[in-house]
Amino acid sequence: MAFRSRREKLRSILSGSDCVHPGSVYDAISTRIAEDLGFPLGMFGGSVASLAVLGDPDIALITLTELAEQMRRMSRAAALPVLVDADHGYGNALNVRRTVQELETAGAAGLTIEDTLLPAGFGESKTHLISLEEGVGKMKAALGGRSDPSLVIMGRTGAASITSLDDTIRRALAYEATGVDALFFTGIKSRTELEAISAATRLPIVLGGAPEELNALDHLASQRVRIALQGHAPIAAATQAVYDTLKTLREGTAPKNLKGLASSELTSRIMREADVKSRSADVLGLKK
């Protein structure tokens, strides 16, 4: 399959002994930049997907179709393996199956399915989890929807910040038993919690946001953490840059006097201009 090598690279990270930081990506350009800089993996988060596609906050407004189409654009642009935050799978367990099918054909190297109750219910301001039984059903459906066995499917829970450490471990063990490839945790607050989770489980671990004491890659690696997210700074930086540039132009600065713009060399490299010119010479008879 066309995307199998990307998925095998992600599996190699999970089966290795090191912990890596993925590059936060959200569109074709950011994915190419992360690949050019040598990131071993891209992370396509739900919050950046909602912001990049809709300009909306991360409150489960983006649809599966929109997420998959954006992933398809990113897959076309670069060969970087990308792990996709597939939220709750966009519905019940049957919807989860469809989510896996769509993201697999869109080129994702892996995806996460979480047990958060989404979207928020009427009158509910607090985050809730679905039942353990429903969570297990979603993991089984995700695995059943996979056609390419190299596609990585991760069971994700935020129980550490919503219910308890004991519930986190209980859910992790149940998801592990379904046959998922890795466990993704958010809300872990200390080394003690991570060590308890690591001791109770056996699958590779992926960490979402974590406190400063969980930043040391050597300690994370010793606890079987193979991927540790660093938030989504790139889209925040891009937003600020666009804002500042448009504001400066609006205030009357001439385009030639703008600061901080990408050089023509960098832009040319990101758009793969040399490759396009070479192909144009070969098939259109144009001069290189």
Side-chain angles (χ1 to χ4, degrees):
M1 294 181 66
F3 302 120
R4 181 161 292 172
S5 63
R6 306 180 191 192
R7 293 162 185 164
E8 289 173 347
K9 288 178 181 177
L10 174 54
R11 287 186 173 275
S12 179
I13 292 172
L14 295 175
S15 63
S17 58
D18 297 327
C19 179
V20 304
H21 292 313
S24 176
V25 296
Y26 53 89
D27 64 3
I29 293 176
S30 62
T31 305
R32 279 187 173 173
I33 292 172
E35 181 180 51
D36 284 1
L37 289 173
F39 277 92
L41 177 70
M43 179 69 211
F44 185 29
S47 59
V48 298
S50 185
L51 183 55
V53 176
L54 302 178
D56 282 330
D58 187 19
I59 53 173
L61 294 179
I62 192 170
T63 66
L64 169 59
T65 300
E66 291 166 333
L67 181 76
E69 189 54 40
Q70 188 74 345
M71 183 66 250
R72 201 179 315 279
R73 296 185 183 102
M74 294 158 65
S75 296
R76 172 195 169 276
L80 181 74
V82 175
L83 174 61
V84 183
D85 173 4
D87 286 334
H88 61 313
Y90 299 91
N92 65 21
L94 296 179
N95 297 108
V96 168
R97 180 183 176 88
R98 168 101 192 278
T99 294
V100 170
Q101 292 170 337
E102 293 297 329
L103 290 175
E104 179 178 310
T105 58
L111 58 92
T112 68
I113 297 293
E114 65 186 82
D115 55 10
T116 309
L117 180 62
L118 294 171
F122 178 79
E124 290 287 354
S125 59
K126 294 182 178 180
T127 302
H128 294 275
L129 301 178
I130 59 178
S131 69
L132 174 63
E133 294 75 17
E134 185 175 1
V136 167
K138 285 194 170 189
M139 302 308 158
K140 290 180 177 178
L143 294 166
R146 177 172 61 185
S147 296
D148 179 3
S150 66
L151 177 71
V152 173
I153 294 176
M154 301 182 181
R156 172 173 168 166
T157 184
S161 62
I162 300 171
T163 52
S164 67
L165 177 61
D166 287 343
D167 188 41
T168 300
I169 293 173
R170 185 171 69 101
R171 288 171 179 268
L173 290 172
Y175 301 159
E176 189 173 78
T178 66
V180 296
D181 301 301
L183 298 170
F184 189 120
F185 298 96
T186 60
I188 295 180
K189 298 176 285 294
S190 67
R191 286 192 173 195
T192 300
E193 288 188 349
L194 174 60
E195 288 164 4
I197 291 169
S198 178
T201 59
R202 59 178 179 79
L203 288 176
I205 293 172
V206 179
L207 282 188
E212 189 172 348
E213 69 175 280
L214 289 174
N215 285 344
L217 287 177
D218 55 348
H219 177 259
L220 294 178
S222 74
Q223 299 304 309
R224 222 171 50 256
V225 178
R226 298 296 172 249
I227 301 169
L229 276 61
Q230 291 184 299
H232 300 294
I235 197 168
T239 300
Q240 187 66 57
V242 171
Y243 180 89
D244 289 344
T245 301
L246 287 173
K247 182 174 183 293
T248 301
L249 288 168
R250 179 63 174 162
E251 291 172 348
T253 298
K256 66 178 181 179
N257 295 325
L258 291 172
K259 306 294 184 183
L261 302 185
S263 66
S264 58
E265 292 79 13
L266 176 58
T267 302
S268 176
R269 185 165 77 247
I270 296 305
M271 71 172 66
R272 308 291 193 258
E273 188 172 28
D275 293 340
V276 173
K277 286 184 176 179
S278 178
R279 285 193 294 272
S280 296
D282 290 341
V283 300
L284 295 177
L286 303 179
K287 293 182 179 180
K288 291 187 180 181

